[in-house]
Amino acid sequence: MTSTVILTISTHSDAGTLAQRLLRRGCRVAVLGPDVGVLLDAVRGYGAGRAAVFVGDVDDPAEAARLRARAEAVMGPADVIIPAEISTATHGMASVHRLPVRSAATRPVPAPQHSAVA
């Protein structure tokens, strides 16, 4: 079974590398974020059946929810949803197969809030 992944890419993340790894492993990937150029680079080389781009303000919770809903309408229910905070942290990840796979009925747990260090 092919996994469908929704990956949020913030302007300053290097999640494009993760998107390419997921695509090479056979996943269908929808990338969400504010910068169309960054998103297109993240899925370069893969067609509409495997990759999709959704442009919008992912820092706005309501807009991010609309983008995820559009992504699932196009790509099917997501098996994995990776928010920008996690996708940035996984840049050095050794292997993508360690990502947790959730059922399509579950939704992501919000990323933990980090306190600022003075």
Side-chain angles (χ1 to χ4, degrees):
M1 181 173 103
T2 301
S3 294
T4 299
V5 178
I6 295 178
L7 175 61
T8 303
I9 299 179
S10 67
T11 305
H12 302 294
S13 86
D14 188 26
T17 302
L18 178 57
Q20 285 289 315
R21 284 182 177 181
L22 291 164
L23 287 161
R24 280 194 303 271
R25 293 184 74 77
C27 294
R28 295 166 34 105
V29 177
V31 291
L32 290 53
D35 187 328
V36 69
V38 170
L39 299 176
L40 289 172
D41 283 344
V43 298
R44 186 171 312 283
Y46 293 89
R50 293 280 310 284
V53 170
F54 299 89
V55 180
D57 182 3
V58 294
D59 291 326
D60 172 15
E63 175 69 6
R66 282 191 293 274
L67 290 171
R68 282 192 302 273
R70 285 180 46 212
E72 288 189 297
V74 171
M75 302 291 284
D79 297 303
V80 179
I81 299 174
I82 305 173
E85 299 84 11
I86 295 173
S87 64
T88 301
T90 58
H91 170 65
M93 187 172 64
S95 61
V96 173
H97 74 274
R98 294 183 184 166
L99 288 173
V101 176
R102 301 181 185 125
S103 73
T106 59
R107 293 291 168 238
V109 176
Q113 298 298 317
H114 300 286
S115 60
V117 177

